[in-house]
Amino acid sequence: MSGSGLSRIHILGAGAVGLLFAAHLRQAGHPITLLLRTQAAVDRFERQGCRISVVNDWMRANPARSRLLAPGEPIAPCAVDDIQAETPAGTHAAIGKLILATKAQDTLRAFADVRSRLDAQSTVVMLQNGMGAFEAIQRELYAHAAAPAFIVGTNAHGCLRRASDEFSTHHTAMGTCRLALRPAVAGSAPPDSALELLTALGALPLDVAVVNWSDLQPLLLLKLAANAIINPATALAGCHNRSMHPLKHTDGHAGIQGFVVLACAEIAAIYARAHPHLHAELSAQAIEEYVAHIIDVTAQNRSSMLQDVAGGRPTEVEWINGYLVRLGQQHGVPTPVNAALYGLVKLKESTARE
């Protein structure tokens, strides 16, 4: 896997998603540097051989691939090596291409640590759940300075990282990834690094497609809706995503079915005021169908919010349900469902850390 002729890609956020993209990009020959929080993490990575592993658990749910596995046969991890690692402040070397795969609640702080290594010719890919991280970076760090190009993505691949294996990710559900170049405030042409990074990501075997920003926006809002329903409910109930499926319940306003219907109607009402030009694409029915689809393809998953609560870590609820509550307030739309979910998850966070 020679990196000859290809410029280095830095990845900030070595969680399940960051490791998935790092491994596939390295497999394609791109030089990769992981930006890890501490020197101790860098040392651990180097001691285990500068290697990332991906376990393709999604193969068990794929009819064609599962026939290649004997009953109970473990799936061998796919390992890639020759990956570099450093801390964000470990060097002052410029970063031309950055994939930002941190949790939403960590994004601004983490990005601030590498801001000095980026310039107007750099490109940043953002792969966060929720909404508002891009706006926070622009507001806090680039209000009076030239910003790099930003590519925003929505990732629907299911993956998780187990605490026992720090640099391995389990690819649990094959999904899609959609990317769009965020329009520049000044309308300037994007740097060469943006096209190069979009080309590199578009060539990965992860169903990656590059779309216009106007086409990505409804996809981001649909994913936000799904996260706002599935993540807090599973975190509070302590259940896998499959327990959320509305088709398991026949009484239209009882149990989980009633909750999903009410939540979808509330989010659709917020979107109708905040994004009236997307009303047809973001109707309550469209949101319900999308949520059911995500539950189907991630049925065996434990949501990231559930994993965070179980691990006693802060969740992304501020950027998901909190964002929807604030958006509803801005447009005069009541948000009792999202406000309740937000408050309960915040309570769960505080009690989990006691």
Side-chain angles (χ1 to χ4, degrees):
M1 292 185 297
S2 171
S4 177
L6 298 173
S7 59
R8 184 164 296 278
I9 299 172
H10 289 73
I11 296 182
L12 180 56
V17 173
L19 292 177
L20 179 69
F21 279 87
H24 278 280
L25 285 165
R26 184 70 196 108
Q27 185 72 38
H30 298 274
I32 298 296
T33 296
L34 296 181
L35 296 170
L36 303 178
R37 290 185 180 182
T38 65
Q39 186 59 44
V42 173
D43 294 342
R44 289 195 299 272
F45 183 69
E46 292 176 347
R47 283 197 299 271
Q48 60 91 53
C50 300
R51 180 180 296 109
I52 292 173
S53 297
V54 177
V55 183
N56 290 305
D57 293 326
W58 62 268
M59 292 174 59
R60 295 196 185 282
N62 182 286
R65 298 298 183 97
S66 62
R67 284 196 289 269
L68 302 175
L69 299 170
E73 178 185 355
I75 297 175
C78 173
V80 293
D81 53 19
D82 194 21
I83 294 170
Q84 295 184 10
E86 63 191 33
T87 62
T91 174
H92 297 294
I95 294 176
K97 301 169 185 173
L98 175 68
I99 295 177
L100 189 55
T102 52
K103 293 290 187 74
Q105 65 269 26
D106 299 325
T107 296
L108 181 60
R109 176 200 54 77
F111 187 85
D113 289 342
V114 297
R115 178 184 182 275
S116 63
R117 299 174 62 182
L118 300 161
D119 59 28
Q121 298 307 307
S122 304
T123 296
V124 179
V125 176
M126 299 188 68
L127 294 173
Q128 280 66 46
N129 280 335
M131 300 283 273
F134 169 81
E135 290 79 6
I137 288 174
Q138 296 298 310
R139 181 179 63 252
E140 299 294 330
L141 302 176
Y142 291 109
H144 306 290
F150 281 87
I151 295 166
V152 177
T154 175
N155 169 55
H157 288 275
C159 46
L160 62 88
R161 188 187 66 172
R162 296 194 172 120
S164 59
D165 202 346
E166 186 176 9
F167 301 108
S168 178
T169 183
H170 286 255
H171 191 181
T172 56
M174 181 62 73
T176 62
C177 181
R178 298 294 178 261
L179 302 169
L181 185 66
R182 184 88 189 209
V185 175
S188 57
D192 291 343
S193 58
L195 178 59
E196 293 168 3
L197 194 46
L198 285 170
T199 301
L201 291 167
L204 300 181
L206 295 173
D207 193 3
V208 179
V210 179
V211 300
N212 293 324
W213 172 248
S214 59
D215 295 323
L216 183 69
Q217 191 179 21
L219 298 179
L220 290 171
L221 292 167
L222 282 172
K223 184 181 180 184
L224 175 65
N227 284 335
I229 294 170
I230 298 169
N231 287 18
T234 55
L236 292 168
C239 62
H240 284 74
N241 289 4
R242 62 176 176 267
S243 301
M244 286 288 300
H245 206 302
L247 296 182
K248 292 183 178 179
H249 308 271
T250 57
D251 186 348
H253 287 282
I256 197 64
Q257 173 73 4
F259 161 70
V260 171
V261 169
L262 287 173
C264 289
E266 180 175 293
I267 295 171
I270 299 169
Y271 288 168
R273 291 283 187 88
H275 306 282
H277 61 296
L278 299 174
H279 178 66
E281 297 168 88
L282 300 174
S283 66
Q285 181 178 346
I287 294 172
E288 283 186 47
E289 291 172 355
Y290 183 81
V291 170
H293 167 70
I294 294 300
I295 292 170
D296 273 337
V297 300
T298 64
Q300 304 307 316
N301 284 19
R302 297 167 74 241
S303 71
S304 59
M305 197 173 289
L306 171 58
Q307 294 178 55
D308 285 338
V309 165
R313 299 182 296 269
T315 73
E316 296 173 307
V317 72
E318 192 71 49
W319 306 87
I320 299 175
N321 301 90
Y323 176 88
L324 287 169
V325 169
R326 293 188 295 275
L327 191 62
Q329 290 171 343
Q330 291 169 19
H331 294 276
V333 180
T335 58
V337 175
N338 279 281
L341 291 171
Y342 173 82
L344 288 169
V345 171
K346 281 294 188 182
L347 178 62
K348 189 82 171 178
E349 283 183 22
S350 64
T351 55
R353 293 194 294 269
E354 289 179 353

